[in-house]
Amino acid sequence: GEDQVVRAVAARLVPVPGEPWSGLLRMDPSEREWYVRLLYRLLLNSVQNSNRMLLLNYLAMTAGRRFELGFTAEELCLLIDLIREEIREWLARRRELAGFERELYERVTVPLEFGKDEILDRWERHQAGERGPATAEGESPARSPTGQEQLAETIWQCLVQRR
């Protein structure tokens, strides 16, 4: 399921006049697919562990940086909608899962909707000039962390700082 969903979402991330794919389309295609896969896996982990907060915390921790890179709240919410649609379509083809619509709603749709709400909230804060988590006051890092180090730190913070 993961590969099919990720490929289907990535295939739908193409320039269309009037659609807001500013940040996502600037990404390298393999990086874009990696990002979709990351969101999918965070959702999957959330479902497997009955922890809606994992995806929500990740989106909250990374939204500010995404906005600084040129992403908009609208495109991130559209991406989440695409992921939800593709997961629903993939699951609908699985006959053994018929009758689990309520569970699908509770375990997939609700966390994704909460994620969209978080993105929109962070977008409003970003537009108002608020910045996300920063280094301690007066602290200046000797070097910028690599993308992999940032990801590891973000996921760690998501796991530790559960709301």
Side-chain angles (χ1 to χ4, degrees), residues 1-7 9 32-48 54-55 58-59 79-80 82-84 86-88 90-91 94 107-108 112:
E2 177 180 334
D3 289 334
Q4 294 89 342
V5 169
V6 170
R7 279 195 299 267
V9 170
R32 191 168 45 243
E33 184 177 315
W34 175 86
Y35 183 59
V36 171
R37 188 173 303 277
L38 172 66
L39 293 176
Y40 177 89
R41 286 183 179 173
L42 286 168
L43 178 63
L44 181 63
N45 191 289
S46 175
V47 168
Q48 290 172 338
L54 183 61
L55 179 64
Y58 174 79
L59 292 170
L79 174 61
I80 288 175
L82 286 177
I83 292 170
R84 186 195 72 242
E86 292 300 332
I87 288 171
R88 288 182 65 86
W90 184 82
L91 290 172
R94 309 273 315 262
R107 293 176 174 249
V108 175
L112 291 174

Side-chain angles (χ1 to χ4, degrees), residues 55-66 118 122 132-133 153-158 161 163:
L55 179 64
L56 186 65
N57 286 343
Y58 174 79
L59 292 170
M61 297 286 296
T62 61
R65 181 69 180 133
R66 292 278 171 210
E118 185 66 34
R122 296 294 170 151
E153 177 62 22
T154 299
I155 291 174
W156 174 250
Q157 292 298 323
C158 290
Q161 296 182 1
R163 292 187 226 171

Side-chain angles (χ1 to χ4, degrees), residues 116-136:
K116 287 172 45 179
D117 290 344
E118 185 66 34
I119 288 169
L120 292 171
D121 180 57
R122 296 294 170 151
W123 178 252
E124 288 176 11
R125 292 179 189 187
H126 178 76
Q127 294 295 90
E130 289 183 33
R131 296 292 173 235
T135 57

Side-chain angles (χ1 to χ4, degrees), residues 12-21 25:
R12 292 178 66 181
L13 297 176
V14 295
V16 175
E19 288 203 19
W21 299 121
L25 290 181

